[in-house]
Structures are given as C-alpha cells and as structure tokens.
Amino acid sequence: MKQTKKTVIAYRKTCPAKGTGLSHYILMDKKAK
Amino acid sequence: MARAPKKNLVGVAAPSRGRYVGTGNGPTFQPIDIGHPDYVALIEPDTAFWALVERAKLADVALGGDLLKAYRKKAAQFAKEMDMLRFGLKPSAVYFNPTERCNLNCVYCYIPEKMRRKGQHMSQEQIVEALAVLKRYFRTTVPKGSQPQIIFHGAEPLLNREAVFAGIEQFADDFRFGIQTNATLLDDSAIDFLREHDVSVGISLDAPTSAIADRTRANWEGRGVYQQVIDAMSRLKDYPGWSVICTVSQENLRHLTKLVDFLHEHEVPTCLMNILRCTLPKSRSVKPDDASAAKYFLQALDRTHELYQKTGRKLIVGNFANILLAIVAPAARRLMCDISPCGGGRCFFALAPNGDLFPCSEFIGLPAFCGGNLFRDELPAVLDSEPFRLVTDRKIEQIEPCGRCAIRHFCGSPCPAEAHEMNGGMQQVGAFCEFYEEQVRYAFRLIADEKIDDYLWEGWDKDMQQTFAMS
C-alpha cells in the first residue's frame, strides 16, 4: 500500500560539537584498533 | 497628578514583534527548489533551520500554522547552537608538517615547489619539543578525558619517518595521532608501526587507473606512483583506521564513478572526494567548472548507493556525509571547512617545520598568514594574532552573495585561502559555489526520500538528541 505523503518533513539532532577536521584528512571517530 | 509618559514616543525604538514571516523581526523563511517532484525546502538561514514542505502546501505552511509555532519555540536554542559552533569552539587539533620536502610534485599541491624540492626536515628533538609545547597548551583547551589530535601532514611526512615515529612513541598517551601520506614510503614495517600505535592513516589516490591517477600525482621525474599506492592499499586492507583521499580535478572528474567501484572493491571504508583547492596558481590549471564537478560528483554518490544496495557494504564519502550532517545535526559535523568562520585558526591550526604557525595548512605557502612561531611565541597570542584573525574573522554574512544565501551555513563559502589568493580578498567567495548548491540540493532530496542513513556511518546518530521533529 502506498504511504501517505507527509506535508512537512523537519527534524534536527544535536550532540556536543567536536568538529576539528579540515578537508585534507578524515578524522576517524574511533581509535583505529 | 502628573501622568506617566506614554511608551512608543517618537524617537524611541519600536521594533517589530516578529509576528510575520519575512518582515521586521519575523523569521526569514527562504524557499528553495531542491529538484524533488514533491517537496521544496524552507530554510531559516541564520539558525540553519529547515523543513521540507509539500509543494502544493508551501504558502500555507510557510506563512503560519504549526511549523511556524514549533520553530518559534526553538529558534533561540538553534541560534545559540549555531553561535557556539561558529564562535565558541577551541582548538583541539594540529596539522603538523614535520618536513617541507616531498618526493612527489602533484599538480595541485598548496605547498610551494621550492619548499618541497629543497626544504628542511624537523629534527627529532624539535618534533619532541613541539609535541611537549602542544601537550601543555591543549591541557588548557581540551576537556579532561578527550585527547587532542595531531595529524602529520605534508609535504610527505614519511620522508622524516624516524623522527615522526619517535614523537608518536613518546607521546602515545597524550594525543590521537594520524598521518596523511602519499603512500610511496608506506612499507611493511611502517604499516606495522602505525597499526601498533593506532595511528589513523590517510592515503592519496585520484583515480582507478594509472593512466588517469598519474596525471596529477607523479614524482619529480614525472613518473606516476599509482602502483605504489595500490600496493599500500592491499597491505592496509584489514586495518580499520585507514581512508583514501581523492582530489577532484578536471583530470579525474569523469572517472569518479569508476573510482567509487574501485574503492568499494578494495573495501575502503571511508573516502574523501575533495574538490581541489585553487590557492596556488598551478592548481587552477586543472580546475573543473562547477556544473561538471557537480554532475560527476553526484553520479559518484549515486554509485555508492547502488553498491550499498547491491552488497550491503557502504563506501562513505566523508566530505558529502559532512554536508548531510551540517543539515540534520549541525553540531555533529566533523570537517570544518564548510562552515563560516572555517575551522582554520580556531578549531585547528597548522605547524610548519620551522615552527611557524598558520591558521591552516592551506596558508603555509603564504608568509603573510604566519601568526608566530611555536618555539618563540605563546600560542594564545598567536591564535589572536592579526594573520589568524584575518581567517577567524571571515564571516559569511560579509560575503556577497553568501550573506543572503539560504544555504550559507551548510556551505560556509570555503576556502579563505583560495578566496584571498584566487578571488582577491577574504570577503570574496571561494572557488566553487554552484558545486555546493548542488550538493545541498542532493542532500535534501535524500532527506525527502528517507535515504540519508545509507550515506552515513552506521550508528551516526547513536549519541545524539532530537531537538526538533515534525512530519
């Protein structure tokens, strides 16, 4: 059955900001091991 | 008895109460066409708030009703979140160049050729001293329990391998280490060392065949290094902490989809497909136009999704994943180029081999952006120096046309180095604009089709809180 289309889709999430990276390098989220 | 004076007398400010969308102090909802058959996006640029709205209902939703009410309740919280992200972060990473030299002469390198040919190595003693200074500094900026990050970068850091590895050994408990390398010197013993010390390894590869890859990445004699990179990739295969960076240029643009196939086949967990930076004139010789860049880049993203559906295994394109995060969870973004001010000089900075400090590696060839020296100056003073402030004070609101662009906080108008060098000043746009417009539109289409999980790491929202939900 086809789902009813939503009139509005809106959401947002948050977490402590840890952004440190620049585009030359991928910062891995976890330790390599 | 004298009457109390009336409020709102002539000459007294009478600001709007913000009752209406689009005027006075009301929210500024900008509609944008995302190229989706059913939805358009409605964006409040200052707070990076967005909603996707059914096309036929746009006017009703945008001008009043539940969305507006719900947004009003959260607007201050979202504004605060963006303010913290843009102005409240402290440095937690250093791009550490342990040598000026490189054994390659890549077309688009941002480090001047003279340095890479005949430059200096840092001595082991200098590397150790630098790490000791940085350790002391980060105690004042990084919360207890978190480790600052040191990324050995270049030029080619493995040309100074012994000194770099000594630094990693000595400060193993103090930093998370990473290395970005061209992979030509990544032999078995180097890989063993990096594995043992949990060092993240990024290697550079621009195309799936030597005929294309070697056009942009070759040694000083002009010989390509494709095969050496492939050999290193084979050796890294079962190591979870590695990734591949591809620089997207005119030379490899049409082959990005095949590169996706290739990387997926080689079980690369994450890659970056970075559009080249145009800071130095030589790199501009291989600059693609925005429309072509967008076309082929988005085709490559499509391909990652096809492969995921076919095999159940993802190849994450980190720079695009970052744009998705910038939209759905702004504080979760990892890469700090696509935000204004960018991360240069405020989230991270770059250390040149002579101890000179720059807001970002991209500025290492530009002496005017040196803010001081790690061995002679205090770091807080360097971070507050005029050269650093040129970068950290570059705000998107002051850039035309970015200041009135709905997606300004999903793009950030990168990068200040190329704006300054290529376009004539810090308050100019970066080298690519439509390329970002198209990526953001694509990201919104994925949101509309509920596909974003397929383009992000498993568990990407595991530790996040939902701050808005409406559907």
Side-chain angles (χ1 to χ4, degrees):
Chain A
M1 198 176 79
K2 198 180 174 186
Q3 275 192 322
T4 316
K5 204 170 17 175
K6 297 164 183 168
T7 301
V8 176
I9 302 168
Y11 58 89
R12 180 156 166 150
K13 295 170 191 252
T14 195
C15 61
K18 289 181 181 168
T20 50
L22 86 170
S23 64
H24 305 135
Y25 182 78
I26 300 171
L27 290 161
M28 308 305 291
D29 279 325
K30 293 169 188 163
K31 291 192 90 177
K33 204 152 56 176
Chain B
M1 195 172 81
R3 286 186 175 177
K6 282 184 180 174
K7 287 179 183 171
N8 280 347
L9 294 175
V10 173
V12 177
S16 129
R17 285 179 287 163
R19 295 166 70 203
Y20 305 110
V21 170
T23 59
N25 280 328
T28 306
F29 282 165
Q30 291 180 232
I32 68 165
D33 184 354
I34 59 169
H36 192 276
D38 300 325
Y39 290 100
V40 292
L42 204 54
I43 298 174
E44 206 294 314
D46 286 339
T47 52
F49 174 79
W50 58 270
L52 300 182
V53 183
E54 230 185 305
R55 282 178 174 270
K57 311 234 172 99
L58 177 65
D60 289 343
V61 172
L63 300 178
D66 291 345
L67 181 73
L68 187 60
K69 277 185 203 158
Y71 171 72
R72 283 185 194 284
K73 284 183 189 164
K74 293 283 185 174
Q77 180 185 337
F78 294 159
K80 194 174 168 190
E81 182 180 39
M82 292 310 293
D83 194 64
M84 183 278 304
L85 195 59
R86 299 181 63 204
F87 307 107
L89 299 179
K90 290 185 174 173
S92 59
V94 178
Y95 294 84
F96 191 125
N97 287 24
T99 179
E100 291 177 331
R101 279 185 233 165
C102 191
N103 52 349
L104 302 191
N105 184 26
C106 303
V107 173
Y108 43 67
C109 189
Y110 50 85
I111 296 183
E113 186 174 324
K114 195 176 163 191
M115 274 188 191
R116 286 182 284 120
R117 264 186 196 275
K118 295 181 178 171
Q120 299 298 309
H121 285 338
M122 262 177 145
S123 68
Q124 187 170 316
E125 291 72 27
Q126 286 172 318
I127 288 180
V128 168
E129 186 187 347
L131 290 172
V133 172
L134 293 169
K135 178 182 167 182
R136 281 198 300 276
Y137 168 71
F138 280 124
R139 278 197 195 128
T140 66
T141 64
V142 175
K144 259 191 175 175
S146 296
Q147 278 185 317
Q149 299 168 28
I150 299 288
I151 294 105
F152 289 107
H153 218 280
E156 174 46 47
L158 287 179
L159 284 172
N160 197 8
R161 165 176 161 166
E162 212 171 294
V164 167
F165 286 5
I168 291 172
E169 281 206 302
Q170 193 164 332
F171 290 87
D173 295 332
D174 303 302
F175 299 103
R176 280 173 62 198
F177 285 104
I179 189 165
Q180 179 63 34
T181 170
N182 63 31
T184 58
L185 303 168
L186 209 47
D187 58 23
D188 286 340
S189 65
I191 290 174
D192 288 346
F193 177 90
L194 296 169
R195 279 173 184 262
E196 280 166 23
H197 293 80
D198 291 341
V199 178
S200 295
V201 182
I203 65 174
S204 305
L205 178 70
D206 285 354
T209 65
S210 60
I212 306 156
D214 292 349
R215 289 178 191 168
T216 43
R217 303 189 60 80
N219 65 16
W220 292 102
E221 288 75 46
R223 281 197 306 278
V225 294
Y226 170 84
Q227 195 52 52
Q228 288 164 272
V229 179
I230 302 308
D231 292 346
M233 282 174 66
S234 305
R235 292 198 291 272
L236 284 164
K237 205 166 188 170
D238 61 343
Y239 182 51
W242 75 294
S243 55
V244 171
I245 290 186
C246 157
T247 298
V248 176
S249 70
Q250 187 60 38
E251 299 292 342
N252 64 353
L253 192 59
R254 286 167 180 75
H255 308 278
L256 292 183
T257 302
K258 284 190 176 157
L259 179 63
V260 165
D261 287 335
F262 182 84
L263 297 180
H264 190 268
E265 190 186 322
H266 281 75
E267 297 177 25
V268 175
T270 309
C271 68
L272 290 177
M273 289 191 176
N274 290 329
I275 196 81
L276 92 159
R277 290 278 180 244
C278 299
T279 305
L280 295 189
K282 195 175 163 195
S283 67
R284 294 169 213 156
S285 65
V286 290
K287 177 185 181 296
D289 66 86
D290 280 63
S292 305
K295 176 183 165 187
Y296 291 108
F297 181 79
L298 298 185
Q299 282 178 3
L301 292 178
D302 285 343
R303 185 64 182 148
T304 65
H305 193 250
E306 286 165 19
L307 289 171
Y308 174 52
Q309 288 184 310
K310 198 169 152 189
T311 66
R313 185 164 47 81
K314 294 177 184 173
L315 169 67
I316 304 294
V317 180
N319 47 311
F320 175 71
N322 205 60
I323 287 179
L324 266 178
L325 287 177
I327 296 171
V328 299
R333 66 171 88 214
R334 292 287 185 271
L335 308 176
M336 297 301 280
C337 293
D338 311 334
I339 187 169
S340 162
C342 72
R346 66 181 189 98
C347 300
F348 56 81
F349 51 87
L351 173 66
N354 65 356
D356 283 350
L357 293 158
F358 296 84
C360 168
S361 305
E362 203 69 38
F363 289 99
I364 280 181
L366 309 174
F369 287 91
C370 174
N373 188 283
L374 187 73
F375 302 121
R376 294 194 297 270
D377 302 310
E378 293 295 323
L379 263 169
V382 174
L383 294 168
D384 199 35
S385 64
E386 186 58 29
F388 272 53
R389 284 207 162 276
L390 284 170
V391 178
T392 56
D393 286 347
R394 180 179 184 260
K395 298 182 190 76
I396 201 153
E397 289 84 347
Q398 298 158 351
I399 301 168
E400 171 67 21
C402 312
R404 54 191 165 81
C405 175
I407 62 167
R408 57 181 174 257
H409 289 326
F410 308 140
C411 157
S413 196
C415 125
E418 55 186 6
H420 190 269
E421 292 300 300
M422 178 184 170
N423 292 339
M426 278 297 172
Q427 308 310 330
Q428 304 298 318
V429 291
F432 297 92
C433 185
E434 283 190 28
F435 179 62
Y436 278 90
E437 286 183 273
E438 295 299 344
Q439 284 187 80
V440 171
R441 281 174 162 74
Y442 184 93
F444 274 123
R445 292 197 291 275
L446 297 183
I447 294 169
D449 294 334
E450 299 181 2
K451 285 183 182 168
I452 68 162
D453 287 347
D454 298 354
Y455 290 77
L456 293 168
W457 296 270
E458 289 303 311
W460 65 272
D461 59 350
K462 188 171 151 268
D463 298 319
M464 292 187 196
Q465 293 173 327
Q466 187 110 18
T467 52
F468 195 92
M470 193 171 198
S471 63

